[in-house]
Amino acid sequence: MKGLAKSLMTTLSVFARKPVTRDYPNYHKPIPERDRAFPLLLWDFEIDEPFCTGCHACERACPVECMTVLMKDNPNHRSQGGDSSRRKIIDKFWIDYARCMRCNICVEVCNFDAIAMNNTWQGHELSVHDRSDLVMDLPQLLAQSKTGNLKEWVAD
Amino acid sequence: MTSELFGADLNPWVDAIVRLLMWVGFMTVVAMGLIYLERKVLARFMARIGPQKTGPMGLLQSVADALKLIGKEDLRPRNADPWTFELGPYLVFIPIFMSFLAIPLVFDWHIRLFELGLLYFVAISSINLVGWVMAGWGSDNRYAMLGALRAVAQGISYELPLVLSLVAVAIFNQTLNLEEMILFQGQTPNILWQPLAFMIFFVAALAEMNRPPFDIPVGESEVVGGPFVEYSGIRWSMFFLGEYTALFIMALLASVVFLGGWAWPLGEELGRWWQVILMTVKTSAFIFLVFWVRASMPRLRIDQLMAFSWKVLLPLTFAQVLVNGLVLAYEWDYWVSRVALGVAGLAGIVLLYAIIDRSVRRPRPRPAPVAQSEAVTA
Amino acid sequence: MVVRPEIEREFETQDLLLNVGPQHPSTHGVFRMVMEIDGELVKDVVPYIGYLHRGAEKLCETMDYRQGIGFMDRTEYLAAFNAELSYVMAVEELAGLEVPDRAQWLRMILCEMNRIASHLMFMGAFGIDVGVFGTPFIYAWREREAIFDLFEEVSGDRMMYAYFRPGGLAWEVPVNFTERVREVLKAVNQGIKDFDGLLTENEVFIARTRGVGAISAADAIDFGMSGPSLRASGVPLDIRRTEPYLKYAEVDFDVVVGQNGDVYDRYLCRLQELRESVRIVEQCLEKLPDGPIMPEKMPRMLRTPPGEVYIRTEAPRGEYGIYLVSEGGNRPYRLKVRSACLSNLQALKHMSVGQYVADAIIVLGSIDIVLSEVDR
């Protein structure tokens, strides 16, 4: 019965300790900068257009083929009288978040630093009623970046 | 013949029905409160918080659960036997409520005070096993059947130590009337003089209520809920209500029989509200103990459970009954007989300790780490 | 006593077939076994697997080496770092890459931390199997959460890290890494103490686990078991010791072995291995050098010469091996995962026949399977 007493004492000592519960929906644990939720596109505030040129690098590197990219000529290019140095720019971009396995490869292969992993809580809390709502189009992918609350990645 | 209830003279039948209805309503609330308390207390044993979203501190969690259960569809599997399946829950639920009839809560608060109250209690409290079998057999599910058979084997085996430990106390107190028992314990509660009986009562009560470490019939990881694996909605909630009502009744019985009920240590003359507080404290302590054991004990296996009952608890209770009879037969002095009984009880506990220790050998030394050279290469 | 045949016919008894899983609280995922039981005694167990088969091996053959890492995570999600390690080591061996020292030490720290997380998971799930109502589970998850928070800070994800790369690590660890690891280890030590107090000496627990599901060393080897399940039978086979990889030759740790190979010994072995892992991590932290985490010259797209390689490492559940065949180019020609869980699971029938139903459940729990690794 000594062991039983020891068990009871262990649970009693935990009873006296503080609970470790995090009150999740009311309390959001601060998440590190390198936290990976889902990929999104970044907005170039200087020229007011996306960084992405639609080069298909990420689309080709994606292991689960969750991306679809279409590019177009940039109407804002210098040759057209605009102030952008990008000859081509993204036209349409879809990422199926339901397929994405968050491996970070798209970020690593991007030559223009145009794609990043969402490291905010909004990037995690994505429950929807319909799977097709998880296919994000270009405005949705850019929305988070436009608000400017993405944290800077510190990883080198 | 009339009965008096709250100052009004009533026909005894009307009186009984009114008291019964009050009890049933009260018990439902108590059971819901117990469910809430169990969740809170268990949560703290596990370093969690427990329910907190429904109402202030989650107080309305049980209400929400009850509403959900009532609103749920009452499903019956196609192959289930309609009669046994649907009547099973009633047979679990009603005897437990009936066993309440005899228990005095505080002075003069009871439904009926039987001269043979204890006998009535032990007679009625094991009927619910029939309900378990009906539920298990009727659901046409192999887990349910296994669970029901386990429940019956366990219920019958632990009925004996439970009853005999109560008999030991009844012999000592020389009455079966629960109120007289309380009055008998006016100065010292029975637990002091009958520690072994209390211990056996506690263990057997855990088994009777199917609480860990004896939750074998409902073992979540083996038979997935046992007899009520197929139940849903209101019928399932009846099992649940029965379980927690049984817990409350066992706690009441323990505080009446062993802890001195509403009399000890404040005496019988104090006001009724003091008695209520006293009973609440004693009952809560017992219930807390049950929760505590639940949080820290693994489940026994069915053969170990049976062996423990028949080979350990039953002989010990017989010994306790014999000792009580002997001590009383010699009609010793008040204190001498009590001290003799207490010493005998403690000796019994030491014996129990030795038996458990022997049957479960001490752990061997931890696996010895192997030195670098001894390790198998390739 | 003469029994008349008609009476015997009348009372003919039959064994009961009990289907356990794939949806059952204690099959640890989608495992199914059909038990033939006589009363409460198990007479036969027929396991069925494959409910979680995703063809991860085949998928990896269509991807380049970096893309395959994510799939390796998912073959063993409770110890993803260990699974990644085997894979990247196989690729490195084939491509002839030299991994910098710092990367190797960091890999060791992360793998051992992951072993702790995985063994904690075992403790919790096993506690539920033997019937403690959730208490050990929450205790286990308390410390596991701390470890996962750390992993999230390092790799960016809590379970599917995709952090190891052929050649080294994807990126440098955070600046306060060593302090954070020490913090977590302190919490883990407390958790180990709680487990020890809660279960190890509990008489009910001992009664349930001692002598149950015993398997002899010879049988365990014949079944191809590995990891703590094998060591509990007294075979001191630990790949970290017998074929040291990473820097395991430079740290001091003990191979924990049991004596009778029953469920209790398997529990004790894992409990002790938790302590050993803590010891290893502490030594790693002291020896952790500075330096690069990737080789200087890394091609943009990793290509391997033709060849084949088999690399095995000691994952929390046993030998996690990767057999990799390359015909040149940037993707494997064939990838085969040697899963410890699958081999350990073979012994289930041997260990549980003749026991009680409740024992069969804890025997299954004690070999600590991860169904995604069994089915892949």
Side-chain angles (χ1 to χ4, degrees):
Chain A
M1 278 193 289
K2 215 167 71 188
L4 299 184
K6 202 173 165 192
S7 293
L8 290 171
M9 281 304 128
T10 308
T11 41
L12 193 67
S13 80
V14 176
F15 188 84
R17 266 182 250 158
K18 230 169 88 85
V20 291
T21 309
R22 287 178 192 148
D23 187 8
Y24 160 60
N26 301 336
Y27 166 77
H28 281 149
K29 172 186 78 115
I31 48 180
E33 299 87 14
R34 46 178 83 179
D35 183 88
R36 306 201 297 267
F38 286 100
L40 43 73
L41 297 178
L42 297 178
W43 186 255
D44 188 352
F45 286 101
E46 284 175 22
I47 320 180
D48 232 29
E49 64 180 19
F51 281 113
C52 181
T53 59
C55 69
H56 295 263
C58 51
E59 189 187 11
R60 278 199 301 271
C62 181
V64 288
E65 296 166 5
C66 68
M67 295 174 168
T68 313
V69 185
L70 291 175
M71 68 159 69
K72 66 177 180 191
D73 290 331
N74 191 357
N76 198 23
H77 189 245
R78 293 207 185 90
S79 60
Q80 312 285 324
D83 48 4
S84 169
S85 60
R86 298 182 182 90
R87 191 176 297 280
K88 299 282 187 185
I89 196 145
I90 185 73
D91 180 21
K92 299 208 167 77
F93 203 124
W94 291 278
I95 301 181
D96 187 351
Y97 279 3
R99 279 192 83 135
C100 175
M101 67 181 214
R102 296 147 61 236
C103 60
N104 205 42
I105 288 177
C106 50
V107 181
E108 281 167 36
V109 298
C110 186
N111 296 317
F112 305 97
D113 289 341
I115 192 165
M117 300 303 262
N118 195 340
N119 55 11
T120 60
W121 270 103
Q122 287 95 316
H124 286 277
E125 295 167 331
L126 279 171
S127 53
V128 290
H129 287 289
D130 187 352
R131 268 185 211 188
S132 61
D133 292 347
L134 283 173
V135 181
M136 298 290 172
D137 58 10
L138 189 59
Q140 283 170 308
L141 289 171
L142 285 166
Q144 181 80 46
S145 173
K146 278 181 182 171
T147 62
N149 62 3
L150 282 183
K151 278 175 270 178
E152 188 76 26
W153 250 63
V154 288
D156 43 19
Chain B
M1 191 177 108
T2 57
S3 282
E4 197 190 47
L5 185 72
F6 301 131
D9 284 342
L10 292 172
N11 176 305
W13 284 101
V14 177
D15 168 80
I17 288 169
V18 169
R19 284 178 192 235
L20 215 55
L21 284 179
M22 277 166 57
W23 269 116
V24 171
F26 173 66
M27 279 316 299
T28 316
V29 175
V30 164
M32 274 159 63
L34 277 182
I35 293 170
Y36 167 76
L37 273 181
E38 164 145 48
R39 293 177 67 167
K40 273 291 197 196
V41 170
L42 272 184
R44 283 309 298 268
F45 278 125
M46 299 173 192
R48 293 188 288 120
I49 300 175
Q52 46 162 337
K53 299 288 178 208
T54 341
M57 293 165 65
L59 270 171
L60 298 177
Q61 185 64 46
S62 293
V63 181
D65 285 347
L67 285 177
K68 177 216 130 196
L69 282 171
I70 291 167
K72 222 172 155 184
E73 187 184 354
D74 183 18
L75 282 171
R76 192 181 74 215
R78 196 176 54 199
N79 290 337
D81 186 88
W83 285 99
T84 46
F85 183 81
E86 303 217 335
L87 290 182
Y90 294 99
L91 256 97
V92 172
F93 177 74
I94 294 173
I96 291 173
F97 269 67
M98 276 169 69
S99 60
F100 229 0
L101 234 60
I103 293 175
L105 186 54
V106 301
F107 177 70
D108 207 24
W109 277 13
H110 45 74
I111 301 174
R112 283 290 181 266
L113 197 61
F114 296 128
E115 201 52 42
L116 299 175
L118 204 57
L119 181 67
Y120 170 80
F121 177 83
V122 297
I124 206 101
S125 67
S126 55
I127 294 181
N128 68 347
L129 286 176
V130 181
W132 284 71
V133 179
M134 280 168 71
W137 184 262
S139 353
D140 189 37
N141 182 312
R142 288 170 189 188
Y143 290 120
M145 201 176 75
L146 267 181
L149 295 180
R150 285 171 170 196
V152 176
Q154 170 178 341
I156 290 172
S157 316
Y158 277 83
E159 197 69 35
L160 281 171
L162 183 83
V163 171
L164 282 172
S165 64
L166 289 174
V167 164
V169 179
I171 291 175
F172 172 54
N173 292 1
Q174 297 179 327
T175 176
L176 284 172
N177 183 330
L178 288 170
E179 197 153 69
E180 278 176 27
M181 245 179 202
I182 293 171
L183 296 178
F184 184 88
Q185 306 174 60
Q187 290 160 341
T188 48
N190 280 335
I191 185 172
L192 280 184
W193 317 122
Q194 302 280 308
L196 179 65
F198 177 74
M199 212 152 161
I200 291 171
F201 172 82
F202 181 69
V203 172
L206 284 179
E208 279 289 296
M209 297 182 291
N210 299 314
R211 290 236 136 218
F214 305 107
D215 58 338
I216 296 166
V218 294
E220 193 69 28
S221 58
E222 296 144 28
V223 289
V224 216
F228 31 87
V229 62
E230 293 287 359
Y231 284 89
S232 68
I234 188 83
R235 266 173 231 283
W236 187 81
S237 69
M238 278 159 88
F239 282 111
F240 219 59
L241 201 61
E243 192 185 323
Y244 282 89
T245 318
L247 171 61
F248 184 59
I249 292 172
M250 280 295 178
L252 278 180
L253 192 73
S255 36
V256 165
V257 175
F258 287 99
L259 303 175
W262 38 261
W264 181 80
L266 297 177
E268 297 139 36
E269 290 80 26
L270 275 168
R272 183 159 286 166
W273 294 111
W274 280 108
Q275 295 175 354
V276 171
I277 290 168
L278 210 53
M279 276 304 269
T280 315
V281 168
K282 285 172 182 172
T283 321
S284 321
F286 187 87
I287 289 171
F288 182 80
L289 202 57
V290 173
F291 290 167
W292 186 11
V293 169
R294 178 174 185 191
S296 24
M297 292 293 140
R299 188 182 304 123
L300 274 169
R301 207 168 58 206
I302 184 81
D303 62 319
Q304 294 162 345
L305 170 105
M306 301 298 271
F308 188 55
S309 169
W310 293 101
K311 293 184 187 163
V312 181
L313 291 187
L314 199 61
L316 277 173
T317 42
F318 274 132
Q320 176 78 56
V321 169
L322 278 179
V323 167
N324 282 7
L326 277 176
V327 167
L328 292 179
Y330 285 104
E331 290 185 345
W332 286 333
D333 196 40
Y334 181 88
W335 283 109
V336 176
S337 64
R338 271 166 177 71
V339 169
L341 280 175
V343 169
L346 286 181
I349 288 179
V350 171
L351 193 61
L352 187 65
Y353 181 91
I355 291 170
I356 293 178
D357 248 26
R358 256 188 78 86
S359 61
V360 182
R361 284 152 296 153
R362 303 305 306 164
R364 274 172 285 98
R366 307 276 159 71
V370 177
Q372 208 126 0
S373 54
E374 286 174 43
V376 174
T377 36
Chain C
M1 195 178 72
V2 182
V3 180
R4 280 180 298 161
E6 62 266 27
I7 294 182
E8 205 169 310
R9 243 192 335 269
E10 196 74 14
F11 287 96
E12 192 189 359
T13 55
Q14 214 182 350
D15 293 332
L16 186 74
L17 281 182
L18 188 69
N19 178 47
V20 180
Q23 267 92 38
H24 186 279
S26 42
T27 51
H28 298 257
V30 280
F31 176 65
R32 175 174 168 227
M33 51 183 177
V34 176
M35 284 200 254
E36 197 180 320
I37 55 175
D38 175 14
E40 287 267 348
L41 285 173
V42 178
K43 294 182 85 176
D44 194 13
V45 177
V46 185
Y48 290 86
I49 58 170
Y51 290 93
L52 204 57
H53 180 64
R54 294 141 297 159
E57 295 166 353
K58 210 73 196 163
L59 274 170
C60 282
E61 290 164 19
T62 66
M63 319 217 159
D64 67 45
Y65 290 118
R66 180 167 57 183
Q67 288 175 334
I69 296 168
F71 289 93
M72 285 300 116
D73 281 337
R74 284 154 178 81
T75 56
E76 177 161 28
Y77 50 80
L78 290 182
F81 274 134
N82 289 279
E84 277 175 34
L85 180 71
S86 289
Y87 177 75
V88 295
M89 275 172 61
V91 178
E92 282 155 8
E93 179 86 14
L94 212 52
L97 288 170
E98 273 296 316
V99 185
D101 270 2
R102 181 173 168 82
Q104 295 210 17
W105 284 105
L106 283 174
R107 279 181 181 182
M108 237 169 104
I109 294 176
L110 292 170
C111 283
E112 288 303 319
M113 296 292 279
N114 213 333
R115 187 188 311 277
I116 293 171
S118 171
H119 278 356
L120 281 174
M121 178 74 203
F122 161 80
M123 296 284 166
F126 185 63
I128 287 195
D129 284 344
V130 293
V132 195
F133 178 80
T135 316
F137 200 69
I138 305 286
Y139 290 2
W141 280 57
R142 192 175 57 192
E143 270 69 60
R144 200 165 165 260
E145 182 73 20
I147 293 175
F148 277 0
D149 280 351
L150 174 74
F151 286 169
E152 193 181 14
E153 282 162 35
V154 173
S155 72
D157 209 314
R158 298 169 64 79
M159 284 180 91
M160 311 299 173
Y161 313 110
Y163 181 59
F164 293 171
R165 293 281 187 274
L169 304 173
W171 47 79
E172 183 56 80
V173 293
V175 276
N176 61 349
F177 180 68
T178 48
E179 293 93 78
R180 285 283 292 123
V181 174
R182 290 216 167 85
E183 246 171 63
V184 172
L185 286 186
K186 211 186 277 175
V188 168
N189 278 329
Q190 177 63 41
I192 296 173
K193 213 187 280 172
D194 281 349
F195 273 111
D196 208 7
L198 185 67
L199 291 180
T200 311
E201 284 177 41
N202 191 316
E203 272 86 356
V204 180
F205 181 75
I206 295 172
R208 274 305 298 283
T209 51
R210 161 110 15 111
V212 170
I215 186 165
S216 69
D219 283 341
I221 292 173
D222 285 350
F223 276 113
M225 290 170 81
S226 53
S229 309
L230 173 70
R231 291 196 284 277
S233 299
V235 185
L237 176 73
D238 189 327
I239 300 166
R240 293 176 293 177
R241 171 63 46 79
T242 54
E243 304 164 15
Y245 52 97
L246 294 180
K247 300 285 182 188
Y248 279 110
E250 294 176 30
V251 292
D252 177 33
F253 69 99
D254 294 322
V255 176
V256 186
V257 291
Q259 284 166 8
N260 358 351
D262 53 9
V263 173
Y264 188 63
D265 274 11
R266 287 194 274 275
Y267 161 81
L268 276 189
C269 273
R270 289 197 171 88
L271 189 70
Q272 190 59 31
E273 268 185 29
L274 279 173
R275 299 197 177 101
E276 294 301 328
S277 287
V278 171
R279 248 177 85 195
I280 293 176
V281 176
E282 274 164 359
Q283 293 175 50
C284 289
L285 284 178
E286 267 160 34
K287 296 188 176 173
L288 184 65
D290 285 333
I293 51 159
M294 280 295 249
E296 301 229 331
K297 274 202 285 185
M298 273 296 287
R300 203 175 158 76
M301 174 64 78
L302 186 69
R303 283 167 209 283
T304 53
E308 58 186 281
V309 62
Y310 178 72
I311 287 285
R312 53 182 187 168
T313 60
E314 182 75 21
R317 280 163 199 80
E319 174 185 337
Y320 189 93
I322 296 279
Y323 176 62
L324 190 65
V325 184
S326 165
E327 296 209 317
N330 61 358
R331 57 188 59 177
Y333 173 74
R334 173 79 172 99
L335 181 83
K336 166 86 176 78
V337 177
R338 190 273 183 201
S339 149
C341 294
L342 181 64
S343 308
N344 292 353
L345 199 55
Q346 307 303 320
L348 175 70
K349 183 175 170 182
H350 180 85
M351 289 191 283
S352 49
V353 167
Q355 314 269 351
Y356 286 81
V357 176
D359 290 339
I361 298 288
I362 60 169
V363 166
L364 177 65
S366 74
I367 52 181
D368 191 20
I369 50 167
V370 173
L371 260 297
S372 73
E373 192 192 323
V374 173
D375 295 343
R376 299 190 296 282

